[in-house]
Amino acid sequence: MDELMAADEVQPASGKDIEDVAAVLKDYYKQASDWNEWLGRQRIAMQRAYNAEPYGNERENRSQVVMSDVRDTVSAVMPSLMRVFFGNQKAVEFLPTGPETAKIAEQATDYVRYVIQQDNPGFLEFYRWFKDALIGGLGVMKVWWDQRQTVRKVEFDGLDQQTAAVLAQEAPKDAGVTVEMRPDAEREGFVAGSITYRGEQDQVRIQVVPPEEFLIELGAVTLDRALYVAHRTLVTVSDLVAMGYPRELVEEHISHESALTAFGEERFRRWQAALGGPNADEAARPVLYVEHYVLIDADGDGVAERHRICTLGESMTIVADDVV
């Protein structure tokens, strides 16, 4: 990932003032949030029907039975949907345009299947995707190229001096590997320590977006023609730093609300939301992170371009802006 700049250094992908772009984003975000909140109330009603919960209009000395037809129907449909993508046949297959591209088409087919089923928890993500669509009428899958810093630490103890020397010698000799050794506090003459691996992860990621995190303008018919589409979520400080954002900038936008109680619909979808509270670990504190995909004429040529603009916090501080 390219090094990201602080908010006051970010310039829109064209010449329009950053304040003007931020004002447009806030207006679109507010309208889309209000629309999503209304839709969320409908989805909650559908979820209650799926759970076969009481409707609230029950009368004393009358039947309190609630039929589970919605859940039974969804449960009956799910196996057929999953079988299409995860059965014996290939759900996606690339066809060659000639004999010379047959091998390439076969490799592309195998690669897509590997990305979905091996590189990602594809079965679980597709299951959630279909179920969101069947119950609430909206299923959203996000696909992107994920670049982030990774840290893995391996602890060891009880090694003799000779084994420790071999371990240190065979450890990879690059800037991302750090070997630390110290005398074992419990066994005299032995060595303890750790090996820390720091690197970057690059891979295709697929992940279901919860309906309450997906925003779209009122009246949009398709994603391509929508003036505004956004993915809002609460991301920990640690994850944002791993994505390349400066730690100082991220910590300025830490949310004062619990990560589990930010969106009303989420409180219903996850019962743990009621248990949310402030986190003492600064790296685990939540920050509102929004990816706005907005059609905007930022260069003044009269033609709107699709921008991917990322913001931090409720103030919508712009931290990245690219034409996509």
Side-chain angles (χ1 to χ4, degrees):
M1 175 177 287
D2 295 335
E3 184 178 356
L4 296 168
M5 298 178 289
D8 56 355
E9 297 175 332
V10 174
Q11 295 298 326
S14 58
K16 195 164 186 174
D17 290 340
I18 193 169
E19 292 81 6
D20 296 337
V21 175
V24 171
L25 290 181
K26 290 179 181 178
D27 186 48
Y28 272 130
Y29 180 84
K30 177 64 168 58
Q31 295 181 35
S33 296
D34 292 343
W35 172 231
N36 185 273
E37 184 177 351
W38 185 88
L39 292 175
R41 290 194 290 269
Q42 314 306 311
R43 289 193 293 265
I44 289 177
M46 297 175 189
Q47 183 69 50
R48 291 187 186 279
Y50 175 84
N51 295 340
E53 297 182 13
Y55 286 89
N57 58 355
E58 290 74 18
R59 300 171 61 181
E60 189 176 357
N61 299 324
R62 296 294 183 91
S63 174
Q64 308 293 314
V65 174
V66 179
M67 303 299 291
S68 60
D69 293 2
V70 175
R71 183 171 62 221
D72 297 342
T73 303
V74 171
S75 298
V77 171
M78 283 297 296
S80 299
L81 289 176
M82 296 302 296
R83 196 176 297 115
V84 171
F85 290 88
F86 296 94
N88 294 327
Q89 297 182 346
K90 300 174 182 177
V92 177
E93 184 174 6
F94 290 83
L95 299 179
T97 57
E100 67 280 359
T101 60
K103 190 65 176 178
I104 297 176
E106 181 181 355
Q107 290 177 346
T109 300
D110 292 339
Y111 175 68
V112 170
R113 184 165 58 248
Y114 176 84
V115 167
I116 294 175
Q117 300 185 13
Q118 304 297 325
D119 237 7
N120 291 272
F123 185 90
L124 295 178
E125 293 298 329
F126 273 64
Y127 188 89
R128 293 170 54 204
W129 188 20
F130 296 152
K131 207 160 189 180
D132 280 348
L134 290 172
I135 297 175
L138 176 65
V140 182
M141 179 76 82
K142 181 177 180 181
V143 183
W144 76 103
W145 183 258
D146 189 22
Q147 295 178 292
R148 64 179 59 224
Q149 300 173 9
T150 59
V151 179
R152 183 169 62 92
K153 191 172 185 178
V154 179
E155 301 276 355
F156 59 85
D157 57 18
L159 299 182
D160 57 62
Q161 298 286 347
Q162 183 177 0
T163 304
V166 172
L167 180 63
Q169 183 177 2
E170 293 184 352
K173 301 296 189 296
D174 59 57
V177 179
T178 304
V179 180
E180 298 180 355
M181 294 191 180
R182 61 184 182 278
D184 195 325
E186 298 182 358
R187 303 178 63 183
E188 186 176 354
F190 287 83
V191 176
S194 64
I195 303 178
T196 304
Y197 301 87
R198 298 180 182 273
E200 291 194 0
Q201 170 184 299
D202 297 318
Q203 70 174 94
V204 177
R205 289 282 301 278
I206 62 172
Q207 185 175 346
V208 171
V209 175
E212 66 269 15
E213 295 184 2
F214 176 76
L215 302 179
I216 191 168
E217 66 156 324
L218 173 63
V221 178
T222 65
L223 289 176
D224 291 338
R225 298 298 297 268
L227 296 177
Y228 178 81
V229 179
H231 176 206
R232 63 173 180 182
T233 185
L234 286 153
V235 184
T236 65
V237 172
S238 176
D239 284 342
L240 286 169
V241 172
M243 291 164 61
Y245 292 103
R247 179 178 177 181
E248 296 77 11
L249 176 63
V250 172
E251 290 179 346
E252 291 177 3
H253 296 87
I254 291 177
S255 174
H256 297 293
E257 298 181 359
S258 167
L260 296 177
T261 58
F263 312 131
E265 190 178 348
E266 188 173 18
R267 290 197 293 271
F268 177 82
R269 286 164 57 90
R270 303 198 303 179
W271 65 268
Q272 297 95 331
L275 307 178
N279 198 314
D281 183 6
E282 196 78 4
R285 296 287 297 279
V287 177
L288 178 63
Y289 181 69
V290 186
E291 290 181 61
H292 312 261
Y293 295 86
V294 57
L295 275 174
I296 184 173
D297 178 21
D299 55 11
D301 64 354
V303 179
E305 300 88 13
R306 179 75 67 183
H307 286 245
R308 173 183 177 269
I309 303 176
C310 301
T311 63
L312 292 177
E314 291 79 3
S315 62
M316 298 290 166
T317 302
I318 297 177
V319 294
D321 181 4
D322 302 287
V323 177
V324 293

